[in-house]
Amino acid sequence: MERRTRVRFAPSPTGPLHMGGVRTALYNYLWAKQHGGDFILRIEDTDSHRFVPGAEAYIIEALSWCGIRPDEGVDENGQVVSVKSERHPHAPYRQSERKPIYRQYAEQLVKGGFAYYAFDSAEELAALRAQMEAQGQTFIYNHSTRGQLRNSLTLPAEEVERLLRETTDWTVRFKMPEDRIVEMDDMIRGHVEVNSGTLDDKVLWKRADELPTYHLANIVDDHLMEITEVIRGEEWLPSLPLHYLLYEAFGWQDTMPRFAHLSLLLKPDGKGKLSKRDGDKMGFPVFPLKWVNAEGEVSRGYREDGYFPEAFVNLLAMLGWNPGDERELFTLDELVAAFSIERIVKSGARFNPEKAKWFNKEYLRQKSDETLRDAYLPILKEQGIQITDGNEKDFDGGKFSKEYVKDVVRLIKDRATFVKDFWDIAPYLFRRPTAYEEKDVAKFWKEENTVLAKELATFIRSWNGPLEKETFGPAVETYIKEREWPMGKVMNCLRLSLVGASSGLGIADMICLIGLEEFGRRVDNAITALG
Ligand code: GLU
């Protein structure tokens, strides 16, 4: 029978989600939606030592910002669901709340001879490890050592019973076969074989906190939640043989999910994995959202850096996957249609921060002027600019209409990567210059240029046609050309008076925006200041 596609993203709330984690969630989501299936969020929080407060809420908020909405696991209020319902039939979705489920499965493995009780204390094991290291060997708890250790395979049955009853620091360990070729298939890497003799007897369940370890909880939950594909980071590939053997031991092979292990994200120079610290060292975010840790250290986020979530999702999708052609820009829906596991690359995907910005620039250009204007308004307010619903363009009072802001945005948006760039691109569209760049003054404000610029200014001030770029711009150019004046020098003189520097937007564009009156004021001011 064809099974309904069900995938899960199963983060451990041990800190903020790295962008690689978001990519894993995204690929799972794309796979689920492409197959008309379910995307589940499960929180793997059985390791209480590594639990970080706020991490779970961060994960939920980050996914929500990206538009990656779980079908199961999180409800509309952004809470991880604890109570079963039609929509959330497998609740609770936090493994810590599923605690009573796992013990029986651990016991089942012991009964079947696939696992055993281990009574060695942490101190005993540490001593053994140190002793073997002193002899230049590494200690591994498996077929080579388990026969000499304190466990249910070596101790008499009554002693085992007594220890189970009277002590609380025992564990259940998987009995890794001594010499078996485990044959596995990965959707990205193909066929993989590993000899089980090199692997250790992993702890599956701990009496001390009555909690499963990752391996047991993960397999049991994937089975109970009817997961069909496990798409996760390649750091879990070494655990795959154990997971295969666990499915076998439980007799769940027929419904075992298929596995796809994603390659790592690499540093911009390709040397090593992109780590959580790299962003702050190299000046780009590695987290979707800003994160403040318990020590008060702040890590920057894509959201706070000014990325659009669509751009972030798009750039993440392209890190390690491509559509097989030249296309680079995809909405989430387009990604759902185009995605394929076959086109995921096996090698690590190098992160290019410049390319990340390119994506944002592309998305910014696609946004409507209204949307960009609305995003710009708070920045203008911070700069002390008042925004009105009327038709103000008041340079003295610093009051401007929303309509004017929209015109500004239309003119400058092609030069911006982020909305936060808008102000720096052209503050002079809201504020009259009060100083003039010295080196530009020295270069351009020369008698031979200023006489011409002043004459041109007189022509402009007397312009009585409509102040529209299409007619006004060419008229100014023609005026200069007919007189065979040096275009660049004359324009730079005028720009100095309008901007306070010789770089900036086109003269005609600016004048059409700020108006002839303001133009005149700025020219007069420059002449007063510079002569
Ligand atoms: N809890 C694991 C993690 O945080 C999940 C691994 C898996 O998807 O199986 O990476």
Side-chain angles (χ1 to χ4, degrees):
M1 197 185 73
E2 187 76 0
R3 293 167 78 203
R4 180 179 173 80
T5 295
R6 287 173 56 82
V7 296
R8 78 323 187 255
F9 178 52
S12 300
T14 54
L17 201 55
H18 180 269
M19 60 192 285
V22 187
R23 185 190 61 166
T24 302
L26 174 64
Y27 286 2
N28 273 286
Y29 174 86
L30 297 177
W31 180 262
K33 296 299 120 187
Q34 186 171 69
H35 293 88
D38 306 319
F39 171 66
I40 297 151
L41 179 67
R42 184 173 75 219
I43 301 294
E44 301 205 322
D45 58 348
T46 55
D47 187 350
S48 53
H49 301 295
R50 298 182 58 221
F51 180 82
V52 172
E56 181 188 289
Y58 179 99
I59 291 164
I60 293 169
E61 196 181 339
L63 295 183
S64 153
W65 180 65
C66 294
I68 303 172
R69 304 245 141 72
D71 300 294
E72 249 179 80
V74 176
D75 73 4
E76 270 75 34
N77 300 322
Q79 293 292 319
V80 177
V81 179
S82 303
V83 182
K84 275 191 187 29
S85 65
E86 204 177 312
R87 191 169 147 216
H88 303 287
H90 297 283
Y93 292 92
R94 260 187 216 108
Q95 288 183 330
S96 58
E97 294 175 16
R98 299 170 66 77
K99 194 168 168 174
I101 296 178
Y102 307 106
R103 181 171 188 167
Q104 57 187 299
Y105 289 102
E107 305 276 5
Q108 181 184 329
L109 292 180
V110 177
K111 280 199 192 81
F114 299 103
Y116 58 91
Y117 301 112
F119 302 102
D120 325 271
S121 68
E123 296 75 38
E124 282 165 359
L125 291 178
L128 217 73
R129 205 161 277 134
Q131 190 190 329
M132 289 195 70
E133 262 162 34
Q135 296 163 9
Q137 289 170 315
T138 38
F139 171 73
I140 170 165
Y141 204 130
N142 70 358
H143 61 90
S144 65
T145 51
R146 68 170 86 100
Q148 295 101 57
L149 294 163
R150 290 188 344 107
N151 54 52
S152 58
L153 304 172
T154 57
L155 298 172
E158 312 82 71
E159 177 65 356
V160 169
E161 284 305 318
R162 190 190 65 80
L163 288 168
L164 287 179
R165 251 191 342 263
E166 292 174 11
T167 65
T168 54
D169 63 353
W170 50 269
T171 61
V172 174
R173 280 184 185 266
F174 188 70
K175 193 175 160 198
M176 189 53 83
E178 182 172 345
D179 180 20
R180 243 202 69 188
I181 304 292
V182 187
E183 299 196 41
M184 299 159 285
D185 289 294
D186 183 275
M187 294 168 83
I188 297 170
R189 282 145 219 274
H191 193 73
V192 192
E193 291 185 0
V194 169
N195 190 315
S196 64
T198 58
L199 306 172
D200 64 339
D201 292 356
K202 280 269 181 294
V203 171
L204 299 177
W205 192 84
K206 299 170 278 110
R207 172 66 178 84
D209 54 11
E210 301 192 71
L211 276 169
T213 59
Y214 154 74
H215 302 287
L216 180 70
N218 189 268
I219 286 347
V220 167
D221 284 347
D222 282 351
H223 173 72
L224 296 177
M225 295 182 182
E226 300 169 66
I227 299 303
T228 51
E229 280 83 20
V230 167
I231 304 170
R232 63 184 174 192
E234 93 181 345
E235 65 273 27
W236 298 106
L237 194 58
S239 303
L240 191 58
L242 170 63
H243 295 179
Y244 258 68
L245 292 172
L246 281 169
Y247 278 101
E248 195 182 289
F250 283 121
W252 295 337
Q253 298 98 314
D254 291 351
T255 53
M256 182 175 80
R258 294 190 288 166
F259 291 88
H261 289 88
L262 305 170
S263 61
L264 295 171
L265 297 187
L266 304 178
K267 291 187 206 304
D269 63 7
K271 293 186 189 133
K273 105 176 216 230
L274 185 65
S275 80
K276 297 193 170 189
R277 298 236 163 251
D278 285 338
D280 294 319
K281 271 194 291 197
M282 298 185 213
F284 54 80
V286 291
F287 297 110
L289 317 176
K290 182 171 119 180
W291 170 259
V292 187
N293 72 8
E295 284 76 48
E297 288 164 354
V298 180
S299 299
R300 56 207 281 189
Y302 279 87
R303 182 176 66 183
E304 290 72 17
D305 266 26
Y307 280 83
F308 298 112
E310 309 92 291
F312 178 59
V313 164
N314 196 155
L315 75 90
L316 271 186
M318 305 306 284
L319 280 173
W321 171 84
N322 65 71
D325 54 40
E326 296 301 299
R327 284 175 304 158
E328 292 188 285
L329 295 173
F330 291 87
T331 63
L332 194 54
D333 286 342
E334 288 165 350
L335 284 171
V336 168
F339 183 71
S340 67
I341 288 195
E342 297 78 65
R343 300 214 64 85
I344 290 179
V345 293
K346 290 195 190 69
S347 55
R350 189 193 287 218
F351 175 66
N352 176 347
E354 290 312 311
K355 187 73 188 190
K357 287 187 192 157
W358 176 86
F359 275 104
N360 208 65
K361 198 173 165 70
E362 289 298 313
Y363 276 86
L364 189 145
R365 284 173 49 182
Q366 287 177 18
K367 299 264 175 198
S368 73
D369 296 335
E370 285 81 6
T371 304
L372 292 174
R373 178 213 38 214
D374 291 345
Y376 190 20
L377 293 180
I379 300 177
L380 287 171
K381 284 179 194 155
E382 252 169 55
Q383 289 293 343
I385 305 293
Q386 284 185 61
I387 307 298
T388 69
D389 285 319
N391 54 6
E392 277 83 357
K393 188 172 17 176
D394 176 0
F395 288 91
D396 291 308
K399 259 192 233 153
F400 297 87
S401 70
K402 283 190 180 155
E403 219 26 55
Y404 177 77
V405 179
K406 192 168 109 185
D407 291 340
V408 168
V409 164
R410 185 180 303 131
L411 185 60
I412 61 175
K413 69 174 184 185
D414 280 352
R415 297 172 180 238
T417 300
F418 302 103
V419 170
K420 67 179 180 200
D421 299 340
F422 287 174
W423 177 260
D424 288 334
I425 289 170
Y428 47 84
L429 294 176
F430 297 94
R431 242 177 231 162
R432 214 167 268 160
T434 49
Y436 303 88
E437 198 64 57
E438 258 175 54
K439 65 173 188 346
D440 295 342
V441 171
K443 197 161 163 199
F444 296 109
W445 200 267
K446 291 182 179 148
E447 178 80 32
E448 75 239 42
N449 303 331
T450 52
V451 281
L452 309 180
K454 283 175 194 167
E455 197 183 317
L456 175 63
T458 310
F459 165 72
I460 293 174
R461 289 167 103 149
S462 68
W463 177 260
N464 55 14
L467 197 56
E468 283 159 7
K469 200 179 148 180
E470 293 72 28
T471 47
F472 174 71
V476 172
E477 259 186 42
T478 310
Y479 186 90
I480 300 174
K481 275 189 192 143
E482 274 172 359
R483 286 159 185 76
E484 292 181 1
W485 290 353
M487 179 84 73
K489 287 178 178 160
V490 177
M491 289 299 207
N492 278 330
C493 255
L494 273 194
R495 202 175 278 112
L496 250 175
S497 43
L498 300 185
V499 172
S502 65
S503 61
L505 300 164
I507 295 287
D509 287 335
M510 273 192 279
I511 298 173
C512 289
L513 254 183
I514 64 175
L516 289 177
E517 201 188 308
E518 176 64 15
F519 168 76
R521 283 288 292 276
R522 293 192 186 191
V523 169
D524 291 344
N525 283 354
I527 293 171
T528 313
L530 305 171

